[in-house]
Amino acid sequence: MRGSFFAMALAIAMTLAFGMPAQAENYSYGQRLSCVVKTVKTYGAYGRVILKKVRVCG
Protein backbone atom coordinates (compact mmCIF):
# COMPACT_ATOMS: atom_id res chain seq x y z
CA MET A 1 0.00 0.00 0.00
CA ARG A 2 2.87 2.36 0.76
CA GLY A 3 4.37 1.54 -2.63
CA SER A 4 1.21 2.61 -4.45
CA PHE A 5 1.11 5.93 -2.55
CA PHE A 6 4.75 6.51 -3.42
CA ALA A 7 4.11 5.71 -7.08
CA MET A 8 1.10 8.04 -7.16
CA ALA A 9 3.07 10.88 -5.52
CA LEU A 10 5.92 10.34 -7.97
CA ALA A 11 3.53 10.43 -10.94
CA ILE A 12 1.94 13.69 -9.72
CA ALA A 13 5.36 15.27 -9.14
CA MET A 14 6.55 14.31 -12.63
CA THR A 15 3.37 15.68 -14.21
CA LEU A 16 3.80 19.01 -12.44
CA ALA A 17 7.50 19.13 -13.28
CA PHE A 18 6.82 18.72 -17.00
CA GLY A 19 3.86 21.12 -16.95
CA MET A 20 5.60 24.11 -15.36
CA PRO A 21 8.18 24.91 -18.09
CA ALA A 22 5.42 25.03 -20.71
CA GLN A 23 3.69 27.82 -18.79
CA ALA A 24 6.93 29.67 -18.02
CA GLU A 25 7.78 30.36 -21.66
CA ASN A 26 4.75 32.61 -22.11
CA TYR A 27 6.39 35.32 -20.01
CA SER A 28 9.56 37.29 -20.59
CA TYR A 29 10.97 38.92 -17.44
CA GLY A 30 7.53 39.07 -15.84
CA GLN A 31 5.83 40.60 -18.88
CA ARG A 32 3.51 38.98 -21.36
CA LEU A 33 4.60 38.73 -24.95
CA SER A 34 2.51 40.87 -27.28
CA CYS A 35 1.56 39.43 -30.65
CA VAL A 36 0.45 41.36 -33.74
CA VAL A 37 -1.24 39.84 -36.78
CA LYS A 38 0.04 41.33 -40.03
CA THR A 39 -1.21 40.75 -43.55
CA VAL A 40 1.56 40.03 -46.05
CA LYS A 41 0.98 40.27 -49.80
CA THR A 42 2.94 37.87 -52.00
CA TYR A 43 2.63 36.77 -55.61
CA GLY A 44 2.13 33.20 -56.77
CA ALA A 45 3.84 31.38 -59.63
CA TYR A 46 1.36 32.78 -62.18
CA GLY A 47 1.30 36.34 -60.82
CA ARG A 48 -1.78 35.96 -58.62
CA VAL A 49 -1.90 37.97 -55.42
CA ILE A 50 -1.79 35.82 -52.29
CA LEU A 51 -2.61 37.37 -48.92
CA LYS A 52 -1.17 35.61 -45.88
CA LYS A 53 -1.73 36.46 -42.24
CA VAL A 54 1.44 36.24 -40.16
CA ARG A 55 1.60 36.50 -36.38
CA VAL A 56 4.64 38.37 -35.09
CA CYS A 57 5.36 38.05 -31.36
CA GLY A 58 8.00 39.96 -29.54
Side-chain angles (χ1 to χ4, degrees), residues 1-56:
M1 188 153 188
R2 287 183 182 169
S4 64
F5 284 129
F6 179 73
M8 189 177 0
L10 182 64
I12 291 171
M14 293 299 289
T15 303
L16 292 176
F18 284 116
M20 290 300 167
Q23 294 176 355
E25 71 183 32
N26 292 335
Y27 296 95
S28 174
Y29 299 108
Q31 299 174 356
R32 279 194 163 208
L33 295 175
S34 60
C35 296
V36 178
V37 178
K38 293 185 176 183
T39 304
V40 179
K41 181 168 65 170
T42 59
Y43 295 96
Y46 297 103
R48 294 183 182 151
V49 177
I50 299 172
L51 297 175
K52 292 183 181 180
K53 292 189 177 181
V54 179
R55 183 169 51 170
V56 179

